[in-house]
Amino acid sequence: MAHQKLIPAVICASLLLIACSGAQTIIPSTPVAFIATKIAQLPFAIPETSCGTTFVRHELPHTTTGDSAGTYVYASNGSGLAVGDLNGDGFEDIIFGNIAGTATLYLNNGQMHFTPITTDVKDIRALAIVDTDGDGKPEVVATQRFRRPLIGDFKNGELIFHEMPDVYSPFYSMNWHDLNGDGKLDVVFGTYDTEQLQHQGLIFNERGGGGVFIYYRDGAGYRPERLNSHADALAIAFPDINHDGISDILIGNDFNRRDMAWLASPTGWQSVEPFSQTTENTMSLDVADVFNSGTNTIFATDMKPYNQDVKTMADWLPAMKKLSRPLTADDPQYPENTFQVWQDGQWQDQAYNLQIDASGWSWSGKFGDLDNDGWQDLYIVNGMVAKDLLGYLPKNQIDEPDMLFVNNAGKKFTRADWGLSDSGSGRAMTMVDLNNDGRLDVVVNPMDGHAAIYENQRCAGNSIEIRLIQPDKSNHTAIGATVRLTAGGLHMMRDVREASGYLSGESSTIHFGIGSATSVNMVTITWPDGSISHIDNIPGNTLTTITRTE
């Protein structure tokens, strides 16, 4: 990394008998503390490339393919990706899943140079790079279409997979969080019943079927809890649905199956339906403080054409007639994106008002500050290819551009290009700073196309990136923590999480654009156990590691 100087500091704080715990199914009343921290800062690297106004696309050799006979529905859903620092060198590595082909790990050497490492695993859906066992070293976790999940250990330059202990069913989606407040990371899995039924027939139900499961970390293995017996779960998120300060569970379902939500309570998980309008075929979920108000919004993608000209509708309608069904009076589902905003004590869908209800045949849709102005933008990858569903179209494909919606100071979203309007049938997508230059890059794993990195070469705005460390805890990277930051007159909030969007593992390093500000006035951290830390006056344009000290 270029031009880096280590700047240590130690900030101590005293106890405060206030606040609530981050525990989930059990809500304790024990007072919590202000926790002391130490910080270390590295100035951002100077990129090899010169500044510009766009993202620059880099293709990688990895290609996700469905089947040699052609890509069909279910396989056409594609495979996931994940980012994280597997070898501890300070750079975020990438792993791309695959269906017919094998997954590929790309070790990040800095400055957009990568070393590919092949694996022997196929038929992958979701991916995560996460420390499952609390030893301080992350592993790769992969769900498989028709087999139990795998855990991959990176040793001696190889990624060696073994079956996940105590988990015997195939799952589609997953997300990781400490759901019972014991300091260990648990995982929520969701099945994709429609595909399993086609593959196994009635045997699937006779063997217990699918649904939504929590697997709590228990010793060296896991203890399951089943929340629901049916699911077509493409996405899982942990928003605070009822605004009690505790993370809840939200499941986004495909195929007209209603989304599911559970609230954490002292007596267990309580099923609720918190939204008056939802997506009909939920492909992706993201949770973000889009308005810098200190309150998260919830965005879900669905299938709705952005343009409705004659050609576009002719391409779409035959397929939609096969997939959609008439709405009933009591059905909250609509085939369009939803953007849930907390107003007047309830969730209200504002997607149509903000003109982000339609973005195409959309998959992973996520928020991130792509121009470092302090406001999180929205990027969505699109497209569909399936021989049995779209055989009436050239290449069996709906070919449409990916969508970037720029956040204009929380007032409206404006569609832009910035070199991100590719038409490569994207599936999994995440945003991550790959060269430690303080700018979010974009990584996409498309279907029947080359994996791509979009290098952010826009030079407007300053930023800060924060990594949280809990050295003596199993949840080493503080997944579930919330970071609030004040800089340049803006108040921003981010959550540390493992995944968001569609089948997309996320970095535990969080990014804040701070506009023209060169320093951060204050950072407030709410750790996963509810403890709080305050740090004042941090220089901007740094990768800042904040380590909890008991």
Side-chain angles (χ1 to χ4, degrees), residues 192-215:
Y192 197 49
D193 292 6
T194 303
E195 182 180 32
Q196 293 295 333
L197 283 166
Q198 186 197 50
H199 178 67
Q200 295 182 330
L202 294 178
I203 294 176
F204 174 65
N205 289 327
E206 291 172 359
R207 291 178 176 174
V212 178
F213 294 77
I214 303 173
Y215 280 83

Side-chain angles (χ1 to χ4, degrees), residues 130-150:
V130 60
D131 183 3
T132 64
D133 54 11
D135 67 352
K137 299 178 182 179
E139 298 87 45
V140 174
V141 185
T143 63
Q144 301 185 96
R145 293 176 71 196
F146 308 121
R147 298 179 182 87
R148 59 192 289 192
L150 301 173

Side-chain angles (χ1 to χ4, degrees), residues 77 125-126 143 171-175 188-195 210-213 228 230-237 249-255 257-260 262 281-285 501-503:
N77 286 13
R125 286 303 195 191
T143 63
F171 291 104
Y172 192 107
S173 55
M174 67 174 164
N175 207 341
V188 176
F189 286 120
T191 58
Y192 197 49
D193 292 6
T194 303
E195 182 180 32
V212 178
F213 294 77
N228 197 68
H230 303 283
D232 280 303
L234 298 187
I236 300 172
I249 298 173
L250 178 61
I251 306 295
N253 284 312
D254 196 6
F255 289 120
R257 192 187 295 275
R258 293 192 185 190
D259 293 347
M260 307 166 187
W262 287 269
N281 309 280
T282 306
M283 319 289 274
S284 167
L285 290 169
Y502 173 72
L503 302 182

Side-chain angles (χ1 to χ4, degrees), residues 281-360:
N281 309 280
T282 306
M283 319 289 274
S284 167
L285 290 169
D286 196 22
V287 180
D289 180 15
V290 173
F291 301 117
N292 289 339
S293 63
T295 302
N296 278 327
T297 59
I298 305 171
F299 181 72
T301 61
D302 203 331
M303 303 173 294
K304 182 179 180 180
Y306 182 81
N307 296 314
Q308 297 192 11
D309 56 87
V310 172
K311 182 185 182 306
T312 300
M313 298 311 294
D315 290 348
W316 273 70
L317 286 177
M320 295 308 294
K321 286 181 179 179
K322 295 180 181 180
L323 298 174
S324 297
R325 52 153 179 76
L327 289 170
T328 59
D330 63 342
D331 195 334
Q333 301 177 100
Y334 289 82
E336 60 187 28
N337 301 339
T338 57
F339 182 57
Q340 308 290 351
V341 179
W342 185 256
Q343 291 181 332
D344 302 323
Q346 62 183 344
W347 292 102
Q348 300 180 24
D349 178 24
Q350 298 292 329
Y352 189 81
N353 294 339
L354 291 169
Q355 298 182 5
I356 54 174
D357 57 301
S359 52

Side-chain angles (χ1 to χ4, degrees), residues 376-391:
Q376 294 189 81
D377 310 300
L378 174 61
Y379 185 57
I380 304 167
V381 293
N382 297 311
M384 184 59 179
V385 54
K387 192 172 184 178
D388 46 347
L389 182 65
L390 300 170

